[in-house]
Amino acid sequence: MFSGWNWVAHCLYLFLNICSLEVSGGLVQSCGHIIPESPVLALGSNFTALCILNESCLDFGNIYANQIIWKIKNKVVPKEQYREINRTVSSVTFNDTSSLATPLTCNILADGQIEQNIYGITVTIGLPPEKPKNLSCIVHQVSKLTYPMTCTWNPGRHTFLDTHFRLKYRWPQENFPDCIPKDVNNSCTIADVQFFVNLEVWVEAANALGKAESDPLVIDPIEIVKPLSPHNLSVNSGILPTVLKLSWENRISIAVMKLKFNIRYRIIGDTNWMQVPPEDTASPRTSFSVQGLRPYTEYVFSIRCMKEDGVGYWSDWSEEKTGVTTEDKPSKGPAIWRIIDASRSPASWTVHLMWKALEPFEASGVILQYEVTVRAKSSLSSPPEKYYVNTTNLTLKLPNGTYEVTVIAHNRVGASPPSVLLIPASNTKAPVKNVRTLPKDGKLWVGWTAPNSYVLKYVIEWCLVSNSSDCTIEWQNEPGNIQGTYLKGDIKPFKCYLITVYPLYADGQGSGQSVKAYLQQDRPSKGPTIQTKKVGKAEAVLTWNHLTVDEQNGFIRSYTIFYKTIDGNETAVTVDPSKTEYTLSSLTSDTLYTVRMMAYTDEGGRSGPDFTFTTQKFGKGEIEAIVVPVCLAFLLIVLLGVLFCFNKRDLIKKHIWPIVPDPSKSNIAQWSPQVPAKHNFSSKDQMYPEGSFTDVSVVEIEADDKKSFSEQDLKPFDLLKKEKSTSEGHSSGIGGSSCMSSPRQSVSDSDEGETTQNTSSTVQYSTVVLNGYRDQTPVQVFSRSESTQPLLDSEERSEDHAGGSDSTTQRQQYFKQNGGQDETNTDRPCFERTKQITPANEGDLVGFAQLQISGQSSQLLGLGLEKNTQEAALLDVLQTSTEGQTVRPETVEGNPLSVDEMPKSYLPQTVRQGGYMPQ
């Protein structure tokens, strides 16, 4: 325990001795130091540093040199670079200082593995100065007597150290103070120098790693002078229109230096300078006359000077001054051209003459007017026509022919040479060939192949092609010995120009050859808008319009059509640019397609809007192939149906349109032997005149007596049966009326009664026709009716009036009536019929029944019997009946009688002219 505390106390004492500061005389003293202190090292050199421990620090702890650790910027140096010299000194060596960084520290590792810094130094690495090069000096004239000298040099590479430069100079026997640069390291200015004595000049460079000096320069300052430029320059017009006189002042004494000059000039607005030949101004002077200038032209002048022998430097250019030459007559005539409009009348021309205004140097003054002379070549004797205009164009209407046009420009001094243009009657001369264009250097070059004949000159004509404006013609003349030129107008990019070249001969001109050109092309402004012209099942005809010239921005090289379905891949088709229609094939029927079109120039393409269409479900002729056979089949069926109906027309008419007889034409009207005068019967009433019926009898036929009749006697009944079967289906609307009648049983020859049929009975025999009035005894006549008109209920159901309580033997009717349905049916007609009680006298019953039937039948058949007549006849019969009889009304709803219970029927018989014939 004690030994442990002793070890802790020992370590604490050692730590305090190492870390504490011993103050002695105000100085801070550590336990060691490094040699060398803050070194400056050359980049890439070797370097060794020593760390020396103080003896005073060794007594408090076992600290020795072998415990020293070297670090560069807190990074441990490999121990291979260490060397222990003795117990207090340790060294470290660096073979290349380029890897050395600052700070470099010496550290120890005490007991308990505690690392402690002993000492550290800052290492500076750089390069020694190089020898300054390219030393040169110049003397700038500041004023008439002040000439400072400035020297410049190349300081060399960067040293990474503080390097100082000094400009040293001296005369052969005298040294001067060094010139120290300020804020720069490559130049220095000596305030004043002396001329005509040699001066030695050199540069010295120094830093912590060494010194270097430039090669000396020996010069006379007068040979390196840059004088001030002449001043007070003035320009005056000379006597001649091509001369201007310049004057100036020099600012250096001729005793000090003789000068020579340079004079430059240019036309105002131009950027190119022209110079007076140097030999003309190689001597001292203060003025000069510049010749060969253009008349009536404004010029800009400037001047400079230097030592006459050419040693030294040119001065700066003087300030610029301007001057204008005087006027002269125009040097040349204006360039002339024409546009001929011969469309209005073939016998005359409308000639538009136009000429270009002269350039200022050509006009040599202000143009006052133009003189235009037109002479017909076909009539040399006729005087020429002259026109004086102030503009540069003239329109004339001339007869068709050959003309010579002359234009002369006039100014205040005189007239220009004439410009002549020959207008031939036709362009019969050889034209140029192979007209071509080429954009070059921001200009549009036009070339052509010259014809074989000699050409006096060429006229290049061009205009901007646009949909929004007319083609305004511009033109220029070119000499006849060239075959290409640049257009001199304002040629714009992305615009189409129509260029035409005309060759002009001495005796005529050739026809123009044209070409379209672009100075610069671009993508089209928009794409074509595509539409469908016709859409089929598997194809679609697409159509579009060409892009306008303003939208093309170049030559359209091709069109590309892109089309696809909603979920399909896009297909591309390339189309010739001259086309405006294309047919897409192999399409899918009843499918929606999206199509668009791109137009391409040399610079790229642009797409138009999308367009959709749907192919048809059926192709051309498919619908017709289906519809036509169906229609033909339908027509065939209709035709066969019509033929069938035509052949079966009677049967169809019988079932659909039954024959409804006209009551007015019925033969029942022929039964009456006597007809009241007030009734208007037809001529058929005379068919049976009065007295033709001699007798009427009623035969009672019992069922038991039927067999006693011969076949000849029963033949009429067979006929009745046959007629009944024929007429069962001809029930008219009268007999079938809901309130007038109901179906009845037909006449049958069966004793047991056959199955009932749902049809109305056909009337074969009529009832008695009353031939008389109320006060007369009626004559009862029975007649057969040929009408098929159904009877009313009162006529058909005469058996309902038969006796009811008589116990006599029931007689079976030969003729039976069958209604086809039970008379108890609630759907019976809406009016009641009367059924009579068996009368005491059977003859009276017959008369009553016949009277009732005759009255109703007469009314239905339109025989004209009045109502009061019917009522009177009925009253007479009733009065003759046996007293005590009662007439009881019963409805038809009662049960029908059986065969045995049916009342006896009466067969009306008639004897015509003494013969007996069943009717």
Side-chain angles (χ1 to χ4, degrees):
M1 182 70 179
F2 176 76
S3 60
W5 283 105
N6 188 22
W7 182 84
V8 172
H10 180 75
C11 290
L12 180 61
Y13 176 77
L14 177 63
F15 179 76
L16 293 175
N17 276 276
I18 293 174
C19 296
S20 64
L21 298 177
E22 295 182 3
V23 180
S24 176
L27 298 177
V28 178
Q29 185 178 5
S30 64
C31 289
H33 62 281
I34 297 176
I35 298 176
E37 183 82 20
S38 300
V40 177
L41 306 176
L43 185 65
S45 62
N46 296 331
F47 172 66
T48 300
L50 301 175
C51 181
I52 303 174
L53 300 176
N54 294 335
E55 293 291 341
S56 60
C57 295
L58 300 179
D59 299 336
F60 302 106
N62 297 324
I63 300 176
Y64 300 101
N66 58 359
Q67 297 174 302
I68 293 176
I69 299 174
W70 291 91
K71 287 186 177 182
I72 298 175
K73 214 171 185 179
N74 293 326
K75 183 179 180 181
V76 178
V77 179
K79 290 188 177 294
E80 290 80 6
Q81 296 178 230
Y82 298 176
R83 189 168 71 89
E84 183 182 355
I85 297 176
N86 54 40
R87 70 178 192 141
T88 60
V89 178
S90 175
S91 68
V92 63
T93 300
F94 299 94
N95 295 326
D96 188 358
T97 55
S98 58
S99 62
L100 187 61
T102 189
L104 175 64
T105 60
C106 175
N107 307 274
I108 62 171
L109 192 63
D111 292 340
Q113 301 299 316
I114 299 175
E115 185 178 313
Q116 179 64 38
N117 178 260
I118 298 297
Y119 202 77
I121 62 174
T122 300
V123 180
T124 303
I125 300 174
L127 295 172
E130 284 187 328
K131 177 181 178 180
K133 299 176 181 179
N134 300 329
L135 176 62
S136 63
C137 299
I138 183 173
V139 176
H140 293 277
Q141 182 185 7
V142 177
S143 65
K144 197 168 186 178
L145 300 176
T146 303
Y147 299 91
M149 183 178 72
T150 299
C151 296
T152 59
W153 61 89
N154 182 4
R157 67 188 177 186
H158 183 51
T159 62
F160 306 102
L161 302 173
D162 290 336
T163 302
H164 303 282
F165 293 89
R166 292 175 179 269
L167 177 64
K168 295 178 176 291
Y169 64 101
R170 66 184 178 183
W171 287 347
Q173 292 84 20
E174 185 178 356
N175 292 329
F176 297 98
D178 296 343
C179 179
I180 300 175
K182 295 180 180 180
D183 301 327
V184 292
N185 62 354
N186 64 341
S187 68
C188 191
T189 300
I190 301 172
D192 196 9
V193 294
Q194 297 295 323
F195 293 150
F196 309 114
V197 59
N198 290 335
L199 185 67
E200 183 180 3
V201 183
W202 74 95
V203 179
E204 180 186 83
N207 64 14
L209 296 179
K211 293 183 180 181
E213 292 183 350
S214 68
D215 294 332
L217 177 65
V218 180
I219 54 172
D220 184 355
I222 195 65
E223 297 177 351
I224 56 174
V225 173
K226 181 180 180 180
L228 291 173
S229 60
H231 68 121
N232 295 334
L233 177 63
S234 63
V235 181
N236 299 310
S237 299
I239 300 175
L240 300 175
T242 59
V243 176
L244 288 176
K245 185 178 181 180
L246 280 64
S247 301
W248 65 89
E249 294 178 4
N250 296 320
R251 289 187 286 182
I252 189 170
S253 174
I254 192 173
V256 177
M257 183 186 298
K258 292 183 178 180
L259 301 175
K260 66 178 182 177
F261 303 90
N262 267 352
I263 299 174
R264 67 178 184 177
Y265 62 96
R266 62 181 174 84
I267 299 174
I268 189 111
D270 197 357
T271 58
N272 297 322
W273 289 93
M274 296 172 286
Q275 284 191 359
V276 174
E279 57 272 15
D280 294 344
T281 57
S283 58
R285 64 183 61 238
T286 57
S287 66
F288 185 81
S289 294
V290 181
Q291 302 177 5
L293 303 178
R294 296 174 180 176
Y296 201 69
T297 304
E298 187 177 9
Y299 286 90
V300 179
F301 293 90
S302 183
I303 190 172
R304 66 178 181 175
C305 63
M306 71 174 299
K307 194 170 181 291
E308 183 182 19
D309 58 3
V311 178
Y313 298 93
W314 284 101
S315 69
D316 294 331
W317 289 101
S318 68
E319 61 179 352
E320 296 178 352
K321 292 294 182 177
T322 61
V324 180
T325 55
T326 58
E327 281 191 80
D328 195 5
K329 64 181 181 179
S331 61
K332 61 180 293 186
I336 185 173
W337 187 234
R338 87 292 177 277
I339 299 176
I340 300 176
D341 184 5
S343 60
R344 297 183 180 179
S345 175
S348 63
W349 288 345
T350 299
V351 181
H352 302 277
L353 297 176
M354 49 188 179
W355 54 91
K356 292 183 178 294
L358 295 174
E359 296 292 338
F361 68 92
E362 297 172 340
S364 302
V366 178
I367 301 298
L368 302 178
Q369 65 179 3
Y370 296 95
E371 178 185 346
V372 181
T373 303
V374 180
R375 178 182 291 106
K377 299 288 288 184
S378 58
S379 178
L380 299 177
S381 60
S382 61
E385 296 183 4
K386 291 188 177 183
Y387 305 89
Y388 294 91
V389 295
N390 297 324
T391 60
T392 57
N393 58 79
L394 178 64
T395 300
L396 301 173
K397 188 171 184 180
L398 303 174
N400 194 348
T402 302
Y403 294 90
E404 182 182 77
V405 180
T406 303
V407 178
I408 299 174
H410 294 267
N411 63 6
R412 285 189 289 263
V413 177
S416 69
S419 296
V420 181
L421 174 67
L422 182 65
I423 303 177
S426 61
N427 299 330
T428 58
K429 298 296 182 179
V432 298
K433 301 177 181 179
N434 192 24
V435 179
R436 57 200 179 274
T437 61
L438 178 66
K440 187 177 181 181
D441 300 330
K443 298 180 181 180
L444 189 58
W445 180 84
V446 182
W448 59 88
T449 301
N452 296 329
S453 304
Y454 171 76
V455 177
L456 186 64
K457 62 181 178 179
Y458 295 98
V459 174
I460 296 93
E461 180 182 283
W462 73 91
C463 69
L464 175 64
V465 181
S466 175
N467 296 99
S468 58
S469 61
D470 295 333
C471 188
T472 303
I473 294 178
E474 299 183 50
W475 54 278
Q476 67 188 51
N477 289 335
E478 296 297 336
N481 58 349
I482 67 171
Q483 297 185 24
T485 185
Y486 288 98
L487 297 184
K488 298 176 182 178
D490 182 17
I491 308 300
K492 299 178 181 179
F494 316 137
K495 299 296 182 181
C496 180
Y497 289 89
L498 178 63
I499 303 171
T500 306
V501 179
Y502 295 90
L504 303 185
Y505 301 91
D507 56 349
Q509 72 178 41
S511 59
Q513 299 298 310
S514 301
V515 66
K516 289 184 178 180
Y518 284 87
L519 176 63
Q520 183 180 349
Q521 297 189 53
D522 195 8
R523 295 192 309 158
S525 302
K526 58 179 290 189
T529 300
I530 198 167
Q531 293 179 337
T532 54
K533 182 179 180 181
K534 182 180 179 182
V535 179
K537 177 181 179 182
E539 68 282 335
V541 180
L542 305 180
T543 183
W544 62 92
N545 294 325
H546 287 302
L547 296 178
T548 63
V549 177
D550 296 330
E551 295 170 344
Q552 292 179 6
N553 296 336
F555 294 111
I556 301 298
R557 301 302 184 186
S558 66
Y559 290 120
T560 301
I561 298 174
F562 299 91
Y563 65 97
K564 65 176 182 178
T565 58
I566 295 178
D567 54 353
N569 296 326
E570 193 170 54
T571 305
V573 179
T574 301
V575 183
D576 188 87
S578 62
K579 304 293 184 182
T580 59
E581 186 176 297
Y582 186 79
T583 301
L584 298 178
S585 58
S586 301
L587 302 180
T588 305
S589 62
D590 195 21
T591 304
L592 179 65
Y593 282 88
T594 300
V595 62
R596 61 186 177 91
M597 173 177 277
M598 290 188 70
Y600 291 90
T601 64
D602 294 337
E603 298 298 323
R606 193 177 297 274
S607 178
D610 290 347
F611 181 79
T612 58
F613 67 91
T614 303
T615 54
Q616 295 183 359
K617 189 173 184 179
F618 299 99
K620 182 180 180 181
E622 290 185 2
I623 297 179
E624 292 81 351
I626 296 173
V627 172
V628 171
V630 171
C631 293
L632 292 177
F634 177 76
L635 292 176
L636 181 59
I637 292 172
V638 171
L639 181 59
L640 292 176
V642 170
L643 293 177
F644 176 79
C645 293
F646 182 77
N647 292 331
K648 302 295 182 178
R649 60 186 181 277
D650 294 334
L651 181 61
I652 295 173
K653 182 177 180 181
K654 176 180 178 180
H655 289 281
I656 299 178
W657 297 287
I659 299 174
V660 179
D662 187 355
S664 63
K665 298 179 181 181
S666 176
N667 290 336
I668 195 171
Q670 301 173 3
W671 297 351
S672 302
Q674 295 179 358
V675 179
K678 66 176 184 178
H679 296 289
N680 185 16
F681 295 103
S682 63
S683 59
K684 291 183 179 181
D685 297 339
Q686 306 299 326
M687 184 178 297
Y688 303 104
E690 185 178 357
S692 60
F693 294 94
T694 58
D695 191 10
V696 175
S697 63
V698 177
V699 180
E700 295 182 4
I701 302 175
E702 295 181 0
D704 299 334
D705 298 334
K706 179 178 179 182
K707 296 181 180 180
S708 63
F709 289 90
S710 64
E711 292 182 3
Q712 184 66 25
D713 295 332
L714 295 177
K715 185 176 181 181
F717 302 114
D718 295 334
L719 293 175
L720 290 175
K721 238 172 57 169
K722 184 177 181 180
E723 290 178 0
K724 164 257 180 184
S725 63
T726 306
S727 62
E728 277 183 346
H730 295 77
S731 173
S732 68
I734 300 175
S737 174
S738 62
C739 293
M740 296 299 293
S741 66
S742 61
R744 292 289 180 260
Q745 294 179 348
S746 302
V747 178
S748 176
D749 58 351
S750 176
D751 295 337
E752 294 79 17
E754 297 176 356
T755 304
T756 59
Q757 298 179 4
N758 188 16
T759 181
S760 299
S761 300
T762 304
V763 178
Q764 300 296 335
Y765 291 87
S766 68
T767 58
V768 178
V769 177
L770 300 182
N771 187 11
Y773 295 98
R774 179 174 305 190
D775 297 337
Q776 299 176 355
T777 301
V779 179
Q780 298 181 359
V781 180
F782 291 89
S783 175
R784 180 179 179 179
S785 173
E786 297 179 359
S787 173
T788 59
Q789 174 64 36
L791 298 177
L792 298 179
D793 281 86
S794 59
E795 299 174 79
E796 296 174 4
R797 302 297 301 269
S798 59
E799 67 276 7
D800 294 341
H801 303 286
S805 61
D806 193 356
S807 60
T808 58
T809 304
Q810 297 291 332
R811 297 179 176 85
Q812 185 177 7
Q813 284 184 321
Y814 188 80
F815 296 103
K816 297 176 184 173
Q817 295 198 4
N818 183 9
Q821 52 184 306
D822 197 344
E823 291 184 350
T824 60
N825 192 343
T826 59
D827 294 333
R828 286 295 189 179
C830 59
F831 66 90
E832 297 180 352
R833 301 173 180 85
T834 58
K835 181 182 294 184
Q836 293 180 349
I837 306 300
T838 305
N841 192 320
E842 187 174 328
D844 295 337
L845 178 61
V846 175
F848 175 77
Q850 292 174 344
L851 176 63
Q852 185 181 17
I853 296 172
S854 176
Q856 294 181 4
S857 299
S858 299
Q859 185 179 6
L860 292 175
L861 299 175
L863 297 178
L865 296 178
E866 294 181 354
K867 182 177 182 181
N868 55 0
T869 305
Q870 299 174 5
E871 293 175 353
L874 181 60
L875 185 58
D876 292 338
V877 174
L878 292 176
Q879 289 176 355
T880 58
S881 300
T882 304
E883 293 183 1
Q885 283 185 336
T886 59
V887 179
R888 185 177 50 155
E890 290 183 3
T891 61
V892 295
E893 282 79 2
N895 294 327
L897 298 176
S898 64
V899 176
D900 297 332
E901 294 174 348
M902 289 294 290
K904 55 186 176 181
S905 175
Y906 300 96
L907 178 62
Q909 304 292 331
T910 180
V911 180
R912 188 172 184 179
Q913 296 178 354
Y916 172 79
M917 177 187 291
Q919 299 293 322

